[in-house]
């Protein structure tokens, strides 16, 4: 299906929602036919959470492209590009200074060159590694010029609360976890040392094959998390200077890979001091919240457990018995 568009109503206005942009496959201009029932009635468009579904699909596509055998990224790439340019001013292309609503349309005409992929990747890795603390904007959408073009209903408390829900994001069979407690500066808070990320490897193995009817039943627990999202609003202090705390930066420098580029391009990372601003922000606090249990992919665990065991080598027992009998017979008993 190519060119499937529909209108989404926000308050008393209608907007054109490009479904081929938000939920496209790798073809770039096609969406699945399963969307037809959801676009049949325009009056119901405003009852769907399009943003959470698009975010779930983007998260899943980014996880898939991390596989070295995947060479092309699907999903709402224009939204990802827009987020990068809004948060990284030094990465913005020249000539795109004016913007309006929706904000992602600012760079809709930008088409980067695809030539010399290898050198470009090295260049961008080096540019990311050399970023300074003040060269990243944690809350670009709170700038006055941006607030003047954002639709006022999007800034109402009932919609802004959705940004702080720690809940599941659902896009048919795709389930992702909205774990905003690991990115508090993007919402105006101070980032403390993060809790372990939720393991949902089992959900990553779901690709939607076999029909869509079983999703709400088989994954009912995650649908209930979404239904109860109003009870999982993360509450924290909003500060004038959001960013990582000193405690977080110490943890990050010890447990994470600090640079993308090879060591030959950069100096010793241990000589990089933690910014003074991080100590002035305080420790940052996040309230304890109930979280679902991990759902690792047990198939991988079981496969690893079988490697090298008698169960996986049962076809070779005859060889082991023959070698044992030969050892018992001694040097004179060999055939």
């Amino acid at each position: 299906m190519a060119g499937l568009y529909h209108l989404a109503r926000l308050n008393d206005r209608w907007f054109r929602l490009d479904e081929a942009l938000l939920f496209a496959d790798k073809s770039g201009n096609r969406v699945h036919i399963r969307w037809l029932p959801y676009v049949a009635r325009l009056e119901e468009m405003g009852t769907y959470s399009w943003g959470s579904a698009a975010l779930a699909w983007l998260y899943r596509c980014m996880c898939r492209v991390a596989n070295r055998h995947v060479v092309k990224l699907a999903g709402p790439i224009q939204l990802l590009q827009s987020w990068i340019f809004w948060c990284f001013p030094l990465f913005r292309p020249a000539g795109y200074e004016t913007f309006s609503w929706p904000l992602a349309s600012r760079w809709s005409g930008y088409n980067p060159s695809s030539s010399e992929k290898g050198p470009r990747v090295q260049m961008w890795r080096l540019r990311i590694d050399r970023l300074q603390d003040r060269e990243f904007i944690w809350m670009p959408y709170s700038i006055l010029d941006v607030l003047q073009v954002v639709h006022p209903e999007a800034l109402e408390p009932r919609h802004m609360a959705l940004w702080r829900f720690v809940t599941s994001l659902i896009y048919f069979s795709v389930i992702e976890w909205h774990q905003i407690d690991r990115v508090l500066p993007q919402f105006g808070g101070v980032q403390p040392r993060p809790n372990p990320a939720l393991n949902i490897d089992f959900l990553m193995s779901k690709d939607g094959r076999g029909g869509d009817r079983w999703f709400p039943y088989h994954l009912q627990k995650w649908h209930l998390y979404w239904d109860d999202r109003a009870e999982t609003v993360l509450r924290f202090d909003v500060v004038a200077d959001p960013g990582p705390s000193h405690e977080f930066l110490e943890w990050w420098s010890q447990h994470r890979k600090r640079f993308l580029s090879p060591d030959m391009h950069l100096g010793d990372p241990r000589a990089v001091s933690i910014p003074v601003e991080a100590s002035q922000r305080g420790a940052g606090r996040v309230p304890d919240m109930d979280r679902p249990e991990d759902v690792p992919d047990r198939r991988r665990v079981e496969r690893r457990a079988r490697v090298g065991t008698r169960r996986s080598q049962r076809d070779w027992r005859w060889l082991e018995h023959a070698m044992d009998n030969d050892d018992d017979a001694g040097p004179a008993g060999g055939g």
Side-chain angles (χ1 to χ4, degrees):
M1 289 177 57
L4 176 59
Y5 305 106
H6 61 259
L7 297 176
R9 185 171 61 185
L10 182 60
N11 199 4
D12 58 345
R13 299 178 61 185
W14 290 86
F15 296 92
R16 179 184 177 208
L17 186 60
D18 189 341
E19 214 161 70
L21 169 65
L22 295 179
F23 306 106
D25 56 16
K26 291 185 180 181
S27 67
N29 62 353
R30 292 179 174 86
V31 292
H32 200 280
I33 195 173
R34 62 190 174 188
W35 278 106
L36 280 180
Y38 296 92
V39 299
R41 297 182 179 180
L42 292 178
E43 63 273 10
E44 295 182 359
M45 290 298 169
T47 64
Y48 303 139
S49 180
W50 297 101
S52 63
L55 197 58
W57 180 230
L58 176 61
Y59 285 170
R60 180 58 53 87
C61 291
M62 294 178 66
C63 289
R64 289 176 176 175
V65 81
N67 188 325
R68 63 177 181 176
H69 300 294
V70 178
V71 297
K72 192 174 181 181
L73 176 62
I77 309 301
Q78 186 173 341
L79 296 182
L80 177 61
Q81 174 184 270
S82 176
W83 179 88
I84 293 174
F85 289 157
W86 278 109
C87 294
F88 296 89
L90 294 181
F91 296 168
R92 297 174 184 174
Y96 297 88
E97 303 303 327
T98 59
F99 56 88
S100 60
W101 177 262
L103 298 177
S105 63
R106 177 177 180 178
W107 293 282
S108 60
Y110 175 66
N111 187 20
S113 174
S114 58
S115 60
E116 299 182 352
K117 179 179 179 181
R120 285 192 301 109
V121 171
Q122 296 178 6
M123 179 196 69
W124 280 107
R125 286 177 177 175
L126 192 58
R127 293 186 65 178
I128 294 174
D129 290 336
R130 290 179 173 176
L131 280 173
Q132 301 298 317
D133 181 54
R134 295 299 179 181
E135 294 175 347
F136 180 84
I137 303 178
W138 287 107
M139 301 180 65
Y141 310 124
S142 62
I143 301 174
L144 182 60
D145 293 341
V146 177
L147 294 176
Q148 292 177 350
V149 302
V150 174
H151 193 277
E153 186 172 346
L155 300 177
E156 292 183 2
R158 61 191 180 98
H159 292 306
M160 295 179 63
L162 180 62
W163 307 346
R164 301 187 178 189
F165 290 156
V166 181
T167 184
S168 55
L169 303 175
I170 303 173
Y171 171 68
F172 293 105
S173 64
V174 173
I175 305 293
E176 295 288 343
W177 191 247
H178 195 224
Q179 199 162 346
I180 71 162
D181 56 301
R182 301 175 69 88
V183 289
L184 288 187
Q186 296 192 40
F187 302 93
V190 176
Q191 182 61 55
R193 181 172 178 171
N195 295 320
L198 185 67
N199 185 339
I200 54 174
D201 286 351
F202 174 74
L203 299 177
M204 295 291 180
S205 64
K206 303 302 177 184
D207 57 6
R209 298 178 182 178
D212 296 340
R213 298 180 180 178
W214 59 273
F215 297 154
Y217 173 76
H218 187 71
L219 305 174
Q220 183 179 12
K221 180 180 76 171
W222 304 96
H223 283 255
L224 293 177
Y225 280 123
W226 170 257
D227 293 338
D228 298 335
R229 60 190 179 278
E231 302 177 3
T232 61
V233 179
L234 191 64
R235 305 187 185 280
F236 51 89
D237 295 331
V238 177
V239 297
D241 182 28
S245 64
H246 188 280
E247 179 187 17
F248 171 84
L249 291 177
E250 286 185 334
W251 167 85
W252 174 71
S253 62
Q254 296 173 5
H255 296 85
R256 291 296 180 264
K257 183 178 179 180
R258 298 190 63 177
F259 298 117
L260 301 175
S261 303
D263 296 338
M264 66 181 70
H265 297 307
L266 297 165
D268 189 344
R270 291 172 295 183
V272 180
S273 59
I274 296 177
V276 179
E277 295 84 354
S279 301
Q280 297 174 348
R281 294 189 185 108
R285 293 179 178 84
V286 176
D288 295 332
M289 300 183 65
D290 295 334
R291 53 173 270 168
E293 297 181 357
D294 292 337
V295 283
D297 192 347
R298 293 296 181 186
R299 297 174 302 173
R300 300 179 182 178
V301 177
E302 293 173 357
R303 284 197 298 266
R304 294 193 190 102
R306 289 197 298 267
V307 173
T309 62
R310 184 173 296 276
R311 177 183 175 186
S312 63
Q313 298 176 358
R314 55 183 179 273
D315 295 335
W316 300 93
R317 291 177 183 174
W318 63 271
L319 180 58
E320 296 178 359
H321 294 161
M323 294 175 63
D324 293 340
N325 294 335
D326 185 66
D327 293 338
D328 295 340

